[in-house]
């Protein structure tokens, strides 16, 4: 079973992402911010990480930058799921190592289509 780490400071958003992915047969672990996600990611490997951008303690772009320094996450798909749709943020996310960008509110079918494309 493919494992996904879902990171968002909004509990309802984490639940929506989790529910969507679990219904499709993925094993989902949740984290409430980048700092918690990084600690979890250092303990176990995931097939993909989906993260919000704007979070307290550690934002999503910093999380992606940190994950990319870990050998086991060099090639892991890292998606941003955010209300941020500005080009500047997307460029910053890409530079940090983000694989893709999904704008909230997301469509569950769209999320699954993207996940199935990036996870082999």
């Amino acid at each position: 079973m493919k494992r996904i780490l879902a990171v968002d400071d909004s509990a309802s958003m984490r639940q929506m992402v989790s529910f969507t992915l679990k219904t499709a047969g993925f094993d989902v672990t949740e984290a409430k911010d980048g700092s918690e996600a990084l600690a979890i990611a250092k303990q176990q490997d995931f097939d993909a990480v989906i993260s919000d951008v704007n979070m307290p303690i550690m934002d999503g772009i910093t999380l992606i930058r940190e994950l990319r320094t870990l050998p086991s996450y060099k090639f892991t798909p890292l998606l941003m799921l955010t209300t941020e749709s500005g080009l500047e943020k997307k460029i910053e996310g890409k530079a940090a190592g983000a694989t893709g960008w999904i704008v909230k509110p997301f469509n569950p079918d769209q999320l699954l289509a993207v996940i199935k494309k990036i996870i082999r």
Side-chain angles (χ1 to χ4, degrees):
M1 183 184 289
K2 297 291 186 181
R3 298 167 46 103
I4 298 175
L5 179 57
V7 191
D8 202 303
D9 57 327
S10 158
S12 59
M13 186 53 70
R14 280 196 312 272
Q15 287 165 347
M16 259 175 12
V17 170
S18 253
F19 178 78
T20 300
L21 297 171
K22 285 177 178 172
T23 304
F26 293 99
D27 179 13
V28 183
T29 299
E30 297 178 19
K32 67 182 176 312
D33 59 55
S35 177
E36 184 181 51
L38 187 60
I40 293 169
K42 285 179 175 176
Q43 314 253 305
Q44 48 192 300
D45 290 342
F46 291 90
D47 297 292
V49 178
I50 301 172
S51 177
D52 186 17
V53 171
N54 300 311
M55 296 180 289
I57 305 171
M58 181 189 290
D59 67 84
I61 290 175
T62 305
L63 170 63
I64 284 180
R65 213 173 278 128
E66 292 292 323
L67 287 173
R68 287 293 184 222
T69 67
L70 305 174
S72 52
Y73 286 92
K74 266 211 178 344
F75 304 106
T76 303
L78 306 176
L79 287 178
M80 305 297 332
L81 178 63
T82 178
T83 54
E84 294 275 354
S85 58
L87 188 61
E88 209 170 283
K89 273 284 186 216
K90 286 183 182 176
I91 291 169
E92 193 182 344
K94 250 320 182 223
T99 310
W101 201 273
I102 299 171
V103 177
K104 293 178 194 171
F106 72 94
N107 168 324
D109 294 335
Q110 176 204 14
L111 177 66
L112 290 173
V114 171
I115 290 294
K116 287 175 180 165
K117 226 183 264 175
I118 61 171
I119 294 183
R120 298 276 174 252

